[in-house]
Amino acid sequence: MTKWHGSLEKVDEYRWRIPRSYKAGMRVDGLIYASQSMLESITGEQAPEQVANVAFLPGIVGYSLAMPDIHWGYGFAIGGVAATRVRDGVVSPGGVGFDINCGVRLLRTNLTGEDVLPKIKPLVDALYEAVPSGLGSKGKIRLRPGEIDEVLAKGSRWAVEHGYGRSEDLASTEEYGEMAGADPASVSVRAKERGVPQLGTLGSGNHFLEVALVDHIIEPEVAGTMGINKIGQVMLLIHCGSRGLGYQTADDYIKQMMAAMKRYQIEVPDRQLACAPVESPEGQAYLAAMRCSANYAWANRQAIMHWVREAFCRVLGRCEADAGLELIYDVAHNIAKIEEHEVAGRREMLCVHRKGATRAFPPGHPDVPERYARVGQPVLIPGDMGRVSYVLVGTELAMKETFGSTCHGAGRVKSRTAAKRMLKGSDVLKSLEARGITVRAGSLPGLAEEASEAYKDVTEVVGVAQSTGISRIVARTRPIGVIKG
Amino acid sequence: MKRFALIEHTADTGLVAYGQTLAEAFANAAYGMFAIIADIGTVKEVERRTVELGEEDSESLLFEWLNRLLYFFDVETLIFRRFEITGFDEYHLRASCYGEKYDPSRHHIKIGVKSATYHMLEVDKKKNRVRVIFDV
């Protein structure tokens, strides 16, 4: 790994600036949110260079931002936020990533560890059976020819209309699980072919299902609004995205934009930053297809949640109402959104790219569901599978500083290869079980790649988000059961 | 001659592939990608698919070539192990790919590859060497 030798100026304890003088072509400064102790791993690789490269994008405003979970990605750093003006700026598929609308949803329950721990093994087995996971797995959903277009247009609503979950779930999903402006005609036949068999599958890699217990409540009143009421309460976490449909959509449009860049005479320092003006035909087509992929991901998580509820109730012998399996919220952390923000004292329409970053809107924002209007938008930050996860809320300061964005997870510190060399899947399994975590995984080497040791400590990451004020910590959960693809 | 070598990358993984010709390096990159995904020693050559591509430059050709093979994996669960490149120039590639459908009872899957990326992508026409980073 090559160390980064660029210049980083300390703004305050948690803010580090890459001045635009660092590299000719940067249109704005870069700004990294991190503690002093996190800087070593951040500058130990080329992530700051990627933050600087993103600052080249035409129409970028404010800063090229990096959230505290920043790590080296491809093109954009993971943990990157970039806002470009709609009227004269660009949209970049690389600023969203291949797994469009990879995201997280969190369910509460009325049950506690005492109810669930005696049945944790059968529960984890039942969840593993109920939700197709791992490579090459086929979904249980059979679509009629052409029905994929309805999934792409309606997202979660398609799932609810087909018996996967309840209509009240929609109000607890970012964009209500149905992003407007999704045009199925903008999605290629190949992308649809990849999407059809994979609807309702978890996938592999860092995607997971988790059974967790609340182990710390920092803001009881806010937590109470979300139905997080007591220590030991059982929570369920689902992390996955848009599967092959999203990957193919990203491939298709990155390639198209590569050609379009020549026409629009745009130059960027990394081809993976390929982009086109937001208002160009290429930009609009990408956004329409990206929204379809986002809707597919929401339908996917909605269907998976339905099977999770069924399996949970079956194993615990409770009906759904009695188990209190309510969706707290669902967030997207790989997405681009057209949003209105204040730039230099003026309201401006922006294309906000969040690549491994979560929207974190404050109390009272019109896009925050009514039930959270007083507390702000819930932000879900999964840690690695051996440690803890957090629930946060968005803040006014995030609106002012980060275009209403915050971190999305722990952030890797070790490559997958390094993790596998250091650890054996079977040892990782044993050490998790020694910590009271029951695991079912499709692949043991895959498990080693996702071991705690490969990640930053998520507590440090959310600590920076809290200290800088770009979000507030509400509650913490600890896993007792993990299902990995 | 070594066919490929893995590259470490924090979030992802990549490879450098070699060949006597650029076409062979393209074939070895595909071989390396499936070696990342699965233990291809147990994969038999029972299915054949042909791929025909035309792109604007050789970088896009490599990007599209690898992603097209991932498409076959998603749609038909095909794992390929041999690539016969029957036509090749800077912008075009025609190939027959041999492998079989994923069978969990015989095949060992390692990790998923979501896509090849353009990040650090390199096609070295002098050294007949290509480099690609995958999103995994």
Side-chain angles (χ1 to χ4, degrees):
Chain A
M1 218 75 64
T2 333
K3 201 170 155 45
W4 186 70
H5 295 289
S7 59
L8 217 47
E9 294 170 356
K10 184 171 181 170
V11 179
D12 61 25
E13 214 180 331
Y14 298 107
R15 290 173 180 82
W16 308 82
R17 181 167 48 219
I18 307 172
R20 87 195 74 168
S21 57
Y22 166 63
K23 216 172 169 180
M26 285 175 71
R27 294 166 194 264
V28 295
D29 293 345
L31 189 66
I32 298 175
Y33 288 75
S35 63
Q36 176 85 46
S37 67
M38 292 160 95
L39 271 189
E40 197 185 331
S41 78
I42 292 171
T43 55
E45 52 178 28
Q46 295 298 312
E49 190 69 20
Q50 297 185 320
V51 175
N53 288 345
V54 168
F56 280 63
L57 292 179
I60 187 168
V61 296
Y63 293 95
S64 166
L65 294 161
M67 300 297 107
D69 49 344
I70 177 187
H71 60 282
W72 193 23
Y74 36 89
F76 275 69
I78 319 267
V81 176
T84 51
R85 277 186 304 267
V86 167
R87 58 187 163 87
D88 63 350
V90 294
V91 57
S92 172
V96 172
F98 290 94
D99 197 356
I100 297 166
N101 189 8
C102 183
V104 190
R105 64 172 53 191
L106 178 68
L107 284 93
R108 68 172 299 284
T109 75
N110 288 335
L111 278 64
T112 63
E114 281 172 34
D115 306 313
V116 171
L117 279 166
K119 291 182 177 168
I120 188 67
K121 281 208 161 53
L123 176 61
V124 167
D125 286 340
L127 291 171
Y128 187 80
E129 295 304 323
V131 180
S133 69
L135 278 177
S137 60
K138 292 276 184 212
K140 299 185 279 189
I141 299 173
R142 297 285 165 261
L143 296 173
R144 284 181 282 107
E147 196 177 7
I148 186 73
D149 285 1
E150 289 176 37
V151 177
L152 301 184
K154 294 178 171 178
S156 291
R157 185 157 62 93
W158 177 89
V160 170
E161 284 172 358
H162 287 76
Y164 304 105
R166 332 190 260 253
S167 55
E168 57 266 37
D169 299 333
L170 304 180
S172 296
T173 308
E174 189 169 324
E175 301 284 339
Y176 300 90
E178 182 181 5
M179 223 172 159
D183 176 12
S186 61
V187 177
S188 71
V189 172
R190 278 201 191 90
K192 290 175 189 173
E193 284 174 346
R194 286 175 82 165
V196 167
Q198 295 183 334
L199 186 60
T201 62
L202 193 64
S204 63
N206 61 356
H207 296 152
F208 65 80
L209 300 177
E210 185 180 294
V211 185
L213 302 180
V214 174
D215 80 336
H216 191 25
I217 298 178
I218 295 94
E219 292 202 33
E221 207 187 314
V222 180
T225 310
M226 300 179 189
I228 302 174
N229 316 107
K230 55 183 179 237
I231 304 294
Q233 189 179 350
V234 174
M235 298 278 148
L236 298 160
L237 202 56
I238 300 168
H239 178 215
C240 62
S242 52
R243 315 287 287 108
L245 184 131
Y247 316 158
Q248 184 70 50
T249 299
D251 291 349
D252 292 341
Y253 281 94
I254 289 171
K255 237 178 57 188
Q256 279 188 29
M257 293 213 173
M258 204 74 78
M261 276 204 301
K262 288 177 197 152
R263 282 198 297 281
Y264 297 108
Q265 294 170 321
I266 299 170
E267 279 182 38
V268 287
D270 183 330
R271 294 167 65 113
Q272 188 64 34
L273 301 178
C275 55
V278 178
E279 294 196 319
S280 67
E282 295 86 352
Q284 289 297 306
Y286 169 68
L287 284 170
M290 183 214 70
R291 290 168 184 139
C292 287
S293 308
N295 288 343
Y296 177 96
W298 275 311
N300 195 31
R301 290 199 286 276
Q302 182 68 26
I304 288 172
M305 175 176 73
H306 173 67
W307 297 320
V308 165
R309 280 172 167 159
E310 281 183 345
F312 189 87
C313 291
R314 196 170 60 243
V315 174
L316 277 304
R318 308 277 180 124
C319 70
E320 259 194 40
D322 183 29
L325 286 162
E326 285 149 28
L327 177 58
I328 292 178
Y329 204 56
D330 175 306
V331 295
H333 55 223
N334 280 353
I335 202 155
K337 298 270 192 80
I338 307 298
E339 296 170 358
E340 192 180 280
H341 289 272
E342 199 170 299
V343 181
R346 276 179 50 188
R347 303 299 292 174
E348 180 94 60
M349 293 310 288
L350 301 177
C351 179
V352 183
H353 301 74
R354 297 191 180 93
K355 168 79 194 288
T358 314
R359 193 182 74 175
F361 280 177
H365 191 287
D367 291 340
V368 174
E370 206 185 314
R371 58 186 285 224
Y372 299 127
R374 278 190 322 111
V375 299
Q377 178 215 307
V379 171
L380 312 171
I381 309 295
D384 62 76
M385 62 190 168
R387 287 186 282 210
V388 291
S389 295
Y390 285 90
V391 180
L392 287 70
V393 279
T395 61
E396 272 303 335
L397 193 89
M399 260 348 241
K400 287 198 184 85
E401 278 196 24
T402 56
F403 307 103
S405 313
T406 189
C407 55
H408 89 302
R412 289 193 85 88
V413 283
K414 288 213 164 47
S415 74
R416 292 165 191 276
T417 327
K420 269 190 297 195
R421 202 169 42 229
M422 235 170 48
L423 305 155
K424 267 175 45 193
S426 53
D427 293 338
V428 172
L429 189 67
K430 270 185 226 147
S431 104
L432 287 171
E433 294 197 328
R435 274 185 272 177
I437 304 167
T438 303
V439 183
R440 280 289 303 264
S443 144
L444 277 181
L447 198 63
E449 291 175 8
E450 295 299 320
S452 297
E453 290 82 348
Y455 283 91
K456 285 182 203 175
D457 184 356
V458 70
T459 299
E460 210 178 339
V461 170
V462 297
V464 172
Q466 165 101 11
S467 301
T468 50
I470 58 170
S471 25
R472 290 198 335 270
I473 303 171
V474 176
R476 187 178 73 189
T477 64
R478 190 170 288 282
I480 55 170
V482 176
I483 291 96
K484 304 269 322 173
Chain B
M1 184 181 180
K2 195 172 177 182
R3 299 174 77 174
F4 72 94
L6 291 177
I7 302 174
E8 276 188 43
H9 189 282
T10 314
D12 302 294
T13 194
L15 60 80
V16 179
Y18 314 91
Q20 300 289 350
T21 60
L22 196 55
E24 195 183 331
F26 270 60
N28 284 340
Y31 176 86
M33 180 174 77
F34 280 99
I36 289 172
I37 296 172
D39 193 350
I40 50 177
T42 56
V43 175
K44 292 179 194 150
E45 295 181 20
V46 292
E47 301 269 353
R48 185 181 83 128
R49 293 291 178 278
T50 52
V51 172
E52 207 167 337
L53 304 170
E55 297 295 330
E56 295 207 351
D57 55 42
S58 50
E59 284 79 15
S60 291
L61 191 62
L62 179 63
F63 178 84
E64 186 61 27
W65 160 236
L66 297 171
N67 288 335
R68 184 62 60 84
L69 299 172
L70 291 174
Y71 156 85
F72 282 114
F73 180 72
D74 267 7
V75 175
E76 299 189 66
T77 66
L78 278 169
I79 308 172
F80 295 113
R81 62 162 298 158
R82 193 164 67 83
F83 308 88
E84 211 174 82
I85 306 224
T86 51
F88 187 86
D89 67 29
E90 206 171 327
Y91 309 107
H92 303 90
L93 181 153
R94 199 170 56 240
S96 295
C97 312
Y98 301 86
E100 70 175 316
K101 281 187 188 283
Y102 171 52
D103 174 355
S105 70
R106 288 188 299 113
H107 298 143
H108 173 58
I109 292 269
K110 295 191 280 192
I111 57 166
V113 169
K114 290 175 185 163
S115 181
T117 76
Y118 275 107
H119 176 56
M120 289 170 62
L121 185 128
E122 200 174 78
V123 175
D124 189 329
K125 291 163 197 159
K126 287 199 188 96
K127 294 183 178 155
N128 298 321
R129 192 177 67 187
V130 302
R131 178 176 69 192
V132 61
I133 304 286
F134 299 107
D135 183 4
V136 296

